[in-house]
Amino acid sequence: MRLATAANAAYTATLAVTELLGCKQCGGGGGGGGGAREELGIRIPRPLGHGPSRFIPEKEILQVGNEDAQMHTLFADSFAALGRLDNITLVMVFHPQYLESFLKTQHYLLQMDGPLPLHYRHYIGIMAAARHQCSYLVNLHVNDFLHVGGDPKWLNGLENAPQKLQNLGELNKVLAHRPWLITKEHIEQLLKAEEHSWSLAELVHAVVLLTHYHSLASFTFGCGISPEIHCDGGHTFRPPSVSNYCICDITNGNHSMEEMHVIPAGSVSITDSFCEVEALMEKMKQLQECRDEEEASQEEMASRFEIEKRESMFVFSSDDEEVAPARDVSRHFEDTSYGYKDFSRHGMHVPTFRVQDYCWEDHGYSLVNRLYPDVGQLIDEKFHIAYNLTYNTMAMHKDVDTSMLRRAIWNYIHCMFGIRYDDYDYGEINQLLDRSFKVYIKTVVCTPEKATKRMYDSFWRQFKHSEKVHVNLLLIEARMQAELLYALRAITRYMT
């Protein structure tokens, strides 16, 4: 995806216009232009918040116009692909290698040759984001849907969309909230409908889009992405107040006034959070020594998985409450009361998904690539970059092997989805991931609309924001892979 020359020119021109219009924060003009516009009676909107994230101070994020050549090319590619430089890109750019892979994959899914027409792709993105009440993504794709010629009537509610898309609603619902319940019957109903049936290739394209946008909703809420200036909740015409008060931190209803004063819960001192880092480093060292000395039996490993799976059911936030979906989002999906439930609750027994029986590398990858050429390769690259990404740092420490920690995070997410790796000792998870971190992980992965700044602040308190964004990349890719595994296994069972 190298549209470099045209993209750079367009992006640079847009930068120049932005600078001409003036300050990002107040919408005032550069070089005296603001007064002239006021005389003409033109109202200039200004961003409601400070920067692309409500959780990360703007000064910590790369400022547009200050990027190096590599970043500039990435921004230009994003601008060429999307027609904008969105806030997700501005936060993901903490990790350029991942961002490049992400943009390439998203561009292919939305705009390159594929089984589904362009307006279907954006509408499916709307359906997927709406399941998590992610108005940020819904608003972006409403604009994109209209831009590629989508029928505005579809936006009045799912019941106004073609029956073929309505039929996708059940798969969207189960995949977003309880993917372990997906069966080959779900697949059969879509492929063998008397009318409005899906082809296998179309269905794989749709499944990849659904999992992509469920996961991107997790990133959006997990990193506190602010609305774009042109979207609802992203701008105001009121002049900035003298006190520079930032209302953005309480606009989505999850953030109370006390959260704006960013001392994490419990007012933990720098010394205490420094000790947390040292304790985590020591645990990693001890676990590595135990690994070298002895290996648990298969029976013990299986037992530890079951223990961790059960314990994950009791991880929930103290401010874990239902978030009522807004009408402008809820109209894009059915059954608004359906949400995440732990897979072993209420006496249900869901068989463990053993990766040794069906895994991405040996099964899912080839199925996707066969039915939707090149996409399997792009997704696989994105998984590997997120999983293996490291700068060998932990907070203030350098030259650290973080592979044990990254694997614990990835496998904990898959454990919450009932997915087990026979060769992993799940006893390590409780050693490496403390309760506040588990609360954050489970919330962002399973019920992202409930994520708050308090949760973001309360884990890994001495770590850099770039490291917390890296955590979010692990969360969204592990989640996407888990959803894909269940959906693709069901498709494989249907085919055989």
Side-chain angles (χ1 to χ4, degrees):
M1 193 182 74
R2 280 285 175 261
L3 308 158
T5 309
N8 268 292
Y11 168 63
T12 305
T14 302
L15 255 185
V17 170
T18 303
E19 287 166 4
L20 184 64
L21 285 174
C23 171
K24 290 187 299 174
Q25 291 304 324
C26 66
R37 288 196 301 277
E38 285 168 16
E39 289 169 14
L40 291 171
I42 299 172
R43 300 175 73 213
I44 306 299
R46 66 182 183 86
L48 197 55
H50 296 293
S53 166
R54 294 186 304 277
F55 296 176
I56 305 169
E58 188 179 19
K59 66 179 183 295
E60 302 274 344
I61 293 175
L62 178 69
Q63 300 297 302
V64 177
N66 294 338
E67 70 271 19
D68 60 22
Q70 180 195 12
M71 305 288 195
H72 187 87
T73 302
L74 274 175
F75 284 167
D77 284 344
S78 177
F79 185 85
L82 302 171
R84 60 180 176 264
L85 192 59
D86 63 25
N87 288 339
I88 286 175
T89 299
L90 293 174
V91 172
M92 275 189 185
V93 82
F94 272 121
H95 305 285
Q97 185 188 4
Y98 175 85
L99 176 60
E100 184 173 15
S101 177
F102 172 85
L103 290 173
K104 202 188 304 181
T105 305
Q106 184 165 264
H107 177 69
Y108 196 95
L109 288 174
L110 292 176
Q111 294 179 290
M112 301 297 282
D113 288 343
L116 294 174
L118 297 184
H119 62 303
Y120 266 50
R121 302 181 197 192
H122 289 293
Y123 197 82
I124 290 169
I126 292 168
M127 290 173 64
R131 280 271 24 143
H132 282 308
Q133 305 162 38
C134 187
S135 56
Y136 173 90
L137 290 173
V138 168
N139 287 333
L140 290 184
H141 283 281
V142 161
N143 291 333
D144 292 338
F145 171 77
L146 295 172
H147 182 71
V148 297
D151 185 344
K153 290 184 188 141
W154 298 10
L155 301 175
N156 293 331
L158 184 59
E159 67 277 5
N160 297 290
Q163 188 61 46
K164 184 170 179 175
L165 283 166
Q166 291 184 45
N167 292 347
L168 196 64
E170 181 71 14
L171 184 66
N172 178 30
K173 175 179 84 171
V174 180
L175 199 56
H177 304 299
R178 307 173 203 175
W180 46 87
L181 298 181
I182 291 173
T183 65
K184 68 177 184 180
E185 283 71 33
H186 286 104
I187 306 305
E188 190 171 31
Q189 286 167 9
L190 290 165
L191 298 176
K192 288 194 170 180
E194 289 185 14
E195 295 182 72
H196 317 293
S197 62
W198 292 74
S199 71
L200 264 173
E202 287 174 332
L203 185 57
V204 166
H205 192 171
V207 162
V208 173
L209 283 167
L210 290 172
T211 58
H212 176 81
Y213 282 103
H214 294 157
S215 301
L216 198 53
S218 284
F219 185 85
T220 301
F221 286 114
C223 290
I225 301 295
S226 300
E228 307 296 326
I229 187 172
H230 63 282
C231 293
D232 289 344
H235 63 270
T236 180
F237 290 101
R238 293 171 61 187
S241 68
V242 177
S243 62
N244 203 28
Y245 169 69
C246 176
I247 198 170
C248 70
D249 288 308
I250 56 173
T251 52
N252 80 347
N254 286 339
H255 310 294
S256 62
M257 286 290 292
E258 63 188 282
E259 287 183 307
M260 294 173 59
H261 307 289
V262 189
I263 300 293
S267 301
V268 177
S269 69
I270 291 175
T271 306
D272 287 343
S273 56
F274 177 82
C275 290
E276 288 175 0
V277 179
E278 299 303 311
L280 181 55
M281 295 276 291
E282 184 58 32
K283 283 176 185 172
M284 288 168 63
K285 181 182 173 186
Q286 289 171 1
L287 285 171
Q288 188 58 55
E289 289 170 356
C290 290
R291 272 187 191 174
D292 296 340
E293 289 172 11
E294 59 177 328
E295 191 172 306
S297 66
Q298 276 299 312
E299 293 76 12
E300 179 62 23
M301 300 264 263
S303 172
R304 290 174 185 175
F305 170 78
E306 292 300 327
I307 291 168
E308 188 57 51
K309 190 171 73 166
R310 280 196 305 274
E311 285 187 1
S312 74
M313 290 169 32
F314 302 106
V315 172
F316 56 89
S317 165
S318 57
D319 42 352
D320 190 4
E321 57 186 42
E322 292 302 317
V323 180
R327 166 64 189 151
D328 64 328
V329 172
S330 64
R331 65 183 173 213
H332 299 300
F333 64 94
E334 299 169 323
D335 197 357
T336 56
S337 63
Y338 190 94
Y340 174 79
K341 287 281 187 293
D342 290 300
F343 51 84
S344 296
R345 283 264 168 93
H346 310 304
M348 290 178 58
H349 177 68
V350 179
T352 294
F353 186 126
R354 295 176 72 253
V355 170
Q356 279 64 24
D357 298 333
Y358 194 96
C359 68
W360 166 256
E361 289 79 8
D362 297 336
H363 306 95
Y365 167 83
S366 57
L367 178 62
V368 171
N369 246 19
R370 179 153 46 96
L371 294 169
Y372 187 9
D374 298 329
V375 165
Q377 179 66 41
L378 289 167
I379 295 171
D380 188 63
E381 177 187 285
K382 189 159 60 75
F383 286 157
H384 277 93
I385 289 173
Y387 187 87
N388 296 311
L389 185 67
T390 183
Y391 306 96
N392 299 113
T393 61
M394 271 181 61
M396 69 292 295
H397 295 280
K398 296 181 179 178
D399 302 317
V400 181
D401 180 358
T402 61
S403 56
M404 179 184 289
L405 190 53
R406 284 181 277 120
R407 189 177 185 192
I409 294 168
W410 187 280
N411 287 4
Y412 178 60
I413 294 159
H414 280 197
C415 177
M416 290 191 302
F417 283 82
I419 298 172
R420 182 188 165 213
Y421 295 81
D422 285 352
D423 62 347
Y424 183 69
D425 181 356
Y426 286 84
E428 292 187 3
I429 289 174
N430 273 338
Q431 297 290 312
L432 297 173
L433 313 182
D434 65 21
R435 178 174 170 71
S436 62
F437 193 14
K438 282 184 171 183
V439 166
Y440 179 79
I441 291 173
K442 186 172 183 180
T443 304
V444 169
V445 171
C446 302
T447 54
E449 60 277 9
K450 297 179 182 178
T452 66
K453 189 175 190 305
R454 183 188 298 279
M455 292 179 196
Y456 177 90
D457 287 335
S458 68
F459 84 91
W460 282 13
R461 285 166 283 206
Q462 200 61 23
F463 283 71
K464 302 181 187 77
H465 288 289
S466 62
E467 292 171 308
K468 292 193 172 193
V469 172
H470 183 190
V471 165
N472 275 281
L473 301 183
L474 283 168
L475 304 194
I476 66 172
E477 294 302 333
R479 176 189 177 167
M480 182 173 178
Q481 189 178 98
E483 285 191 28
L484 277 175
L485 283 174
Y486 278 109
L488 297 174
R489 185 180 68 169
I491 292 173
T492 301
R493 287 176 172 174
Y494 166 81
M495 292 170 67
T496 54

